[in-house]
């Protein structure tokens, strides 16, 4: 039996970058395998139910899928230097930023990769090289084009249209500038140890924007963000610590304020749609993967995007952390939340989850089912 974990991943995959950085930081012994199309649509699909990345195989032969579930499972197995803070504000902030990275930044990633010709061509070559390593380069690109076209088609799902592209770009440039200001003062988001939020934000920013040649320019004036990338690609910081006294650095407040202004209203609309659907289907044990379209705002631009039900499962994490608070820490957290998003932020975090999900085999299973 191998003593190493196997990490099936391509360099162009943002969620794979998230798990790779985590494995590296925790010094978990692993080998990375770039799965061919045969492996993806054969072994991986058979093992986890779909041809997806990242997937991780334990030394005992257990398969794991979904970057968040992989990290949660490995945190239990490797508890030293936990990546989710234990103190209230830091824990909630880290889980909110993971939600932001995993469920909002795909708009950014898909826009820059598939709407920039140089990035699109680069991604096609990378897809072909990994999926069909034995074919000549020209045939690699031809063979992988249907998969690439399918990926590009997700732009509309996450609301990337002609009308929203200016907002997507404003949001991106603002986020990078805000992170640059933060990393001038701190090596990681919450101190000298990376958190789940560091790995989540790193995924799309590094694997899509920085690595793709036609968007690297976005980091020209963000050298401290680039240094943060480099720190997350090396096994350093395990002996670091989160900031004392549950401090969430003020430099992160603009990022979180944008989250509450733009993403959280959409999450609340999604939860409304789930509650409505469940009321109309009282005997259901699971919900559809999406529930139609809904208006949203990004970078001040208005559009519509798909109500993907998985997002509620991710939102349950910070909302559950808030619900677990006793009275004194909750009042302190509420004061902090009001600085970020007023009473709307307090109401959003405190909203009861009427139909909580459990994730089972790519389906959002109702927890009570």
């Amino acid at each position: 039996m191998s003593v190493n974990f196997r990490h099936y991943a391509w360099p162009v995959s943002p969620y794979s970058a998230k798990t790779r950085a985590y494995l590296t930081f925790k010094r978990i012994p692993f080998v990375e395998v770039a799965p061919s199309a045969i492996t993806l649509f054969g072994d991986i699909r058979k093992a986890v139910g779909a041809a997806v990345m990242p997937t991780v195989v334990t030394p005992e032969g257990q398969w794991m899928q979904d970057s968040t579930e992989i990290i949660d499972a490995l945190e239990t197995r490797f508890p030293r230097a936990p990546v989710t803070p234990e103190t209230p504000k830091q824990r909630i902030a880290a889980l909110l930023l993971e939600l932001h990275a995993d469920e909002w930044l795909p708009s950014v990633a898909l826009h820059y990769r598939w709407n920039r010709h140089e990035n699109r061509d680069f991604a096609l070559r990378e897809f072909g090289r990994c999926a069909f390593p034995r074919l000549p380069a020209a045939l690699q690109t031809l063979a992988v084009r249907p998969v690439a076209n399918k990926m590009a088609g997700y732009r509309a799902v996450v609301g990337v249209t002609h009308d929203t592209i200016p907002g997507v770009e404003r949001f991106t440039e603002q986020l990078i500038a805000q992170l640059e200001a933060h990393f001038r003062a701190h090596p990681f988001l919450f101190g000298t140890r990376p958190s789940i939020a560091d790995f989540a934000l790193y995924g799309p920013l590094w694997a899509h924007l920085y690595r793709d040649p036609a968007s690297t320019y976005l980091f020209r004036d963000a050298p401290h963000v680039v240094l943060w990338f480099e720190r997350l690609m090396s096994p350093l910081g395990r002996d670091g610590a989160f900031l004392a006294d549950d401090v969430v650095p003020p430099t992160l407040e603009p990022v979180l304020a944008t989250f509450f202004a733009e993403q959280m209203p959409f999450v609340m609309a999604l939860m409304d749609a789930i509650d409505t659907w469940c009321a109309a289907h009282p005997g259901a044990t699971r919900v559809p993967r999406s529930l139609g379209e809904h208006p949203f705002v990004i970078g001040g631009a208005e559009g519509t995007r798909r109500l993907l039900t998985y997002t509620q499962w991710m939102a349950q994490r910070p909302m559950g952390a808030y619900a677990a608070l006793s009275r004194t820490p909750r009042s302190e957290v509420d004061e902090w939340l009001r600085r970020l998003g007023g009473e709307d932020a307090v109401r959003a975090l405190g909203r009861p989850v009427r139909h909580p999900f459990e994730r089972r085999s790519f389906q959002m299973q109702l927890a009570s089912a």
Side-chain angles (χ1 to χ4, degrees):
M1 182 176 66
S2 171
V3 298
N4 289 322
F5 288 75
R6 276 177 289 154
H7 183 241
Y8 286 98
W10 289 356
V12 288
S13 162
Y15 296 107
S16 298
K18 176 183 174 183
T19 48
R20 183 187 303 112
Y22 169 81
L23 289 163
T24 300
F25 161 69
K26 296 286 279 198
R27 300 179 194 170
I28 296 171
F30 77 99
V31 293
E32 181 154 307
V33 180
S36 68
I38 293 172
T39 301
L40 266 173
F41 290 94
D43 295 344
I44 291 176
R45 183 163 65 179
K46 180 180 178 181
V48 303
V52 294
M53 291 174 284
T55 51
V56 168
V57 184
T58 71
E60 297 79 23
Q62 177 190 358
W63 287 78
M64 298 185 289
Q65 187 276 322
D66 183 87
S67 63
T68 296
E69 289 199 331
I70 288 169
I71 291 173
D72 283 353
L74 292 177
E75 281 291 274
T76 299
R77 185 163 176 164
F78 298 92
R80 183 185 171 191
V83 300
T84 303
E86 293 295 330
T87 54
K89 291 196 293 290
Q90 288 181 357
R91 185 179 188 85
I92 290 169
L95 293 173
L96 288 173
L97 290 173
E98 183 193 27
L99 170 63
H100 196 41
D102 282 8
E103 300 301 303
W104 207 244
L105 266 64
S107 299
V108 171
L110 289 169
H111 162 57
Y112 282 98
R113 174 161 289 172
W114 300 111
N115 286 334
R116 301 288 175 92
H117 293 302
E118 187 180 356
N119 282 351
R120 186 186 185 98
D121 292 345
F122 172 76
L124 279 168
R125 292 193 300 272
E126 289 283 277
F127 281 25
R129 178 179 62 82
C130 294
F132 301 100
R134 297 184 179 180
L135 292 180
L139 291 179
Q140 288 176 346
T141 301
L142 185 64
V144 83
R145 194 174 295 277
V147 175
N149 289 341
K150 182 178 179 180
M151 294 297 298
Y154 286 122
R155 286 172 294 180
V157 172
V158 296
V160 177
T161 65
H162 177 76
D163 291 336
T164 61
I165 284 172
V168 171
E169 295 186 351
R170 281 193 298 271
F171 167 83
T172 304
E173 292 165 6
Q174 173 184 277
L175 175 62
I176 292 171
Q178 290 166 346
L179 291 175
E180 173 66 12
H182 174 79
F183 291 125
R184 287 194 198 108
H186 303 279
F188 298 107
L189 290 173
F190 299 101
T192 56
R193 179 195 299 175
S195 70
I196 184 66
D198 287 89
F199 303 124
L201 283 168
Y202 166 77
L205 294 178
W206 180 82
H208 272 243
L209 301 191
Y210 185 70
R211 194 170 179 273
D212 287 14
S215 45
T216 306
Y217 77 91
L218 290 165
F219 302 91
R220 188 166 45 214
D221 296 324
H224 293 87
V225 175
V226 175
L227 289 172
W228 171 66
F229 290 159
E230 294 173 0
R231 286 191 290 272
L232 286 169
M233 286 188 279
S234 63
L236 301 175
R238 194 165 69 160
D239 297 323
F242 299 127
L243 293 168
D245 301 321
D246 197 23
V247 170
V248 175
T251 44
L252 290 180
E253 290 186 3
V255 180
L256 290 162
T258 298
F259 166 85
F260 279 111
E262 296 190 342
Q263 184 178 0
M264 202 54 160
F266 187 81
V267 173
M268 294 295 101
L270 168 65
M271 294 180 69
D272 289 343
I274 290 168
D275 291 347
T276 299
W277 189 92
C278 288
H281 302 82
T285 60
R286 62 190 186 193
V287 297
R289 291 187 179 182
S290 67
L291 293 172
E293 307 280 333
H294 194 273
F296 82 111
V297 175
I298 186 167
E302 298 180 0
T304 61
R305 59 181 285 161
R306 194 82 54 84
L307 289 161
L308 300 175
T309 52
Y310 174 90
T311 299
Q312 178 181 286
W313 182 76
M314 289 294 298
Q316 287 171 195
R317 294 161 64 81
M319 294 172 75
Y322 179 85
L325 296 176
S326 58
R327 179 176 297 179
T328 300
R330 179 172 293 193
S331 64
E332 295 173 358
V333 168
D334 286 350
E335 182 180 352
W336 169 69
L337 288 172
R338 289 186 185 97
R339 293 206 307 271
L340 304 174
E343 292 298 330
D344 286 345
V346 177
R347 283 191 291 269
L349 262 291
R351 173 177 176 157
V353 182
R354 294 176 56 197
H355 299 96
F357 291 159
E358 293 176 356
R359 186 178 179 275
R360 302 177 196 167
S361 301
F362 294 93
Q363 295 289 339
M364 290 300 102
Q365 190 93 12
L366 291 165
S368 59

